[in-house]
Amino acid sequence: MKKSINVWVILFALLLGWITTSSAQTTLGAGDVAIMEFNGNGDDGFSFMPLVDLAAGTVIHFTDYGWNGTSLSFHPYEEGNPPTGGGNMITYTAPSAVVAGTLIRQDKVNVGGSAFTADADWPYNYYNYTYIGALNSLTTGHDGILVFQGTPSAPTFIWGYYTGHWGKGSYVDYYWSDLPTDLTNGTNAVFFVDSSSWSSDVTVDDGYYRGPTTAASAADWRTRVADASNWTTSASGTAPTLLYPKTYTVTSTSVAPTVTTQAVSGISSTTATGNGNITSLGSPNPTAYGVCWNTTGTPTASGTKVDNGSASATGAFTASMTGLTANTTYYLRAYAINTVDTSYGSEVSFTTSKIPQTITFANPGAQNFGTTPTLSASSTS
């Protein structure tokens, strides 16, 4: 009976591990995916390339709806009133692990198979959301694609391109898009025509990246692809057949974070405030950061510490230390940890305050008055 129970425990553990593994996905940040080619003529479509490895089950959304930077929402329709207008949002779900540098294509003939789906429950899918074609429709000019994770009401933007200039013109039928604040043109977004003329960006119907293709870091690839001079654009409708299914090499960019230690503040007999500054997040972002201390020197994050958790931005931070011993010298370092290494700032020292003590002196000469007045004085020891 005991052996039987153990078998079920093992099977349950294996099943739980499978569920956990199969549902895991990669959380992406700005610039972790790049659009490499697009076609708004005929068989609408695009190809994208992850610049980081994707775990199986990773979900990425694509839309050709423009972004309204004032209302912080997607335009309620695109290219005319529904149902005649185009526009859609589709989702890519990685069917298996994907290596950084792999080109992935989506178009009306549905290259990529069931990895792409359209969600009828999303807002604004007024037109043709029931078939799994390309974003319908990428038009002749005045269009683009925004890539994000999350939901349409709370997106985390990853990449974007626009055939015109970001935020230039607010046409009544929403042939325009602001640049989301998550993105920076030239770093993780790109536009192709800088003109106030309505007709100029109509000349951009399709395009493909034609810049350097040698092995490079993710940061270098972002700079390459977000540079409009590295693209060929036209109105011929032929772009998406030019790159797919090539694979490029994205070299590892994993680096340790950097951190500095500042002077300790707010020192009392049992508490103090440690101060540090993350000067570089490294790659990937730190999973932990804070201050560590001891009474002998060279403290480490494996000892006594205050951990502030994961970090997603550089900058100064504080950590409140408690339970210290009065009148004792401590040594402290700031630290930051990612999967590459644990980094430390320089060591600083501080000494906790002495504990104030009150000494009471009796006045024997006052006993005839029926009271015992005292004199008090404070000192430290």
Side-chain angles (χ1 to χ4, degrees):
M1 185 66 171
K2 186 174 181 180
K3 289 182 179 180
S4 167
I5 293 175
N6 287 340
V7 169
W8 282 110
V9 169
I10 293 171
L11 289 174
F12 177 78
L14 290 173
L15 177 61
L16 182 61
W18 178 84
I19 292 173
T20 302
T21 301
S22 63
S23 62
Q25 70 162 316
T26 303
T27 300
L28 301 173
D32 285 343
V33 162
I35 298 288
M36 297 292 286
E37 55 187 344
F38 63 91
N39 184 1
N41 188 357
D43 287 340
D44 297 354
F46 65 94
S47 296
F48 73 95
M49 180 173 76
L51 299 179
V52 297
D53 294 342
L54 302 181
T58 297
V59 174
I60 307 172
H61 306 302
F62 301 82
T63 181
D64 56 342
Y65 282 104
W67 180 251
N68 187 318
T70 301
S71 63
L72 300 182
S73 63
F74 291 104
H75 294 313
Y77 53 87
E78 190 245 13
E79 299 153 14
N81 288 313
T84 59
N88 211 334
M89 299 184 187
I90 62 174
T91 296
Y92 169 78
T93 303
S96 57
V98 178
V99 176
T102 302
L103 209 62
I104 300 169
R105 181 180 172 190
Q106 204 281 325
D107 63 16
K108 278 185 177 178
V109 297
N110 199 24
V111 174
S114 59
F116 290 92
T117 57
D119 190 340
D121 294 327
W122 280 12
Y124 318 144
N125 275 356
Y126 292 114
Y127 183 61
N128 281 342
Y129 63 71
T130 55
Y131 79 88
I132 311 305
L135 294 178
N136 184 62
S137 85
L138 292 170
T139 63
T140 304
H142 320 114
D143 214 337
I145 292 177
L146 290 171
V147 186
F148 66 96
Q149 284 187 318
T151 65
S153 59
T156 297
F157 288 102
I158 301 168
W159 192 270
Y161 85 81
Y162 185 55
T163 58
H165 191 298
W166 297 108
K168 183 173 286 188
S170 54
Y171 309 110
V172 294
D173 51 1
Y174 299 99
Y175 283 98
W176 66 284
S177 178
D178 288 326
L179 179 65
T181 55
D182 294 4
L183 303 179
T184 301
N185 197 76
T187 301
N188 39 49
V190 59
F191 71 86
F192 299 108
V193 177
D194 187 3
S195 173
S196 59
S197 170
W198 166 253
S199 61
S200 294
D201 60 328
V202 175
T203 61
V204 177
D205 184 42
D206 52 76
Y208 68 98
Y209 172 77
R210 60 165 179 79
T213 57
T214 53
S217 67
D220 287 341
W221 272 108
R222 293 182 192 107
T223 302
R224 290 172 172 180
V225 182
D227 182 350
S229 67
N230 283 334
W231 282 71
T232 291
T233 60
S234 71
S236 66
T238 60
T241 63
L242 298 176
L243 298 181
Y244 180 83
K246 293 182 179 179
T247 298
Y248 302 102
T249 300
V250 181
T251 58
S252 173
T253 57
S254 298
V255 293
T258 58
V259 62
T260 61
T261 310
Q262 275 73 55
V264 177
S265 59
I267 302 170
S268 72
S269 58
T270 59
T271 62
T273 299
N275 297 282
N277 186 27
I278 299 176
T279 56
S280 172
L281 289 171
S283 179
N285 286 350
T287 56
Y289 72 101
V291 297
C292 53
W293 67 92
N294 63 29
T295 58
T296 58
T298 318
T300 67
S302 61
T304 305
K305 65 180 183 292
V306 172
D307 197 322
N308 290 342
S310 60
S312 58
T314 58
F317 64 88
T318 62
S320 298
M321 299 176 284
T322 60
L324 305 177
T325 303
N327 195 24
T328 301
T329 297
Y330 287 91
Y331 301 89
L332 175 141
R333 294 194 294 177
Y335 68 88
I337 303 171
N338 70 1
T339 56
V340 179
D341 200 2
T342 300
S343 299
Y344 295 95
S346 58
E347 183 178 278
V348 300
S349 64
F350 68 98
T351 302
T352 51
S353 306
K354 297 178 181 179
I355 299 177
Q357 294 184 348
T358 301
I359 303 173
T360 302
F361 301 92
N363 186 354
Q367 293 180 1
N368 293 333
F369 297 96
T371 59
T372 307
T374 60
L375 299 176
S376 299
S378 294
S379 66
T380 58
S381 60

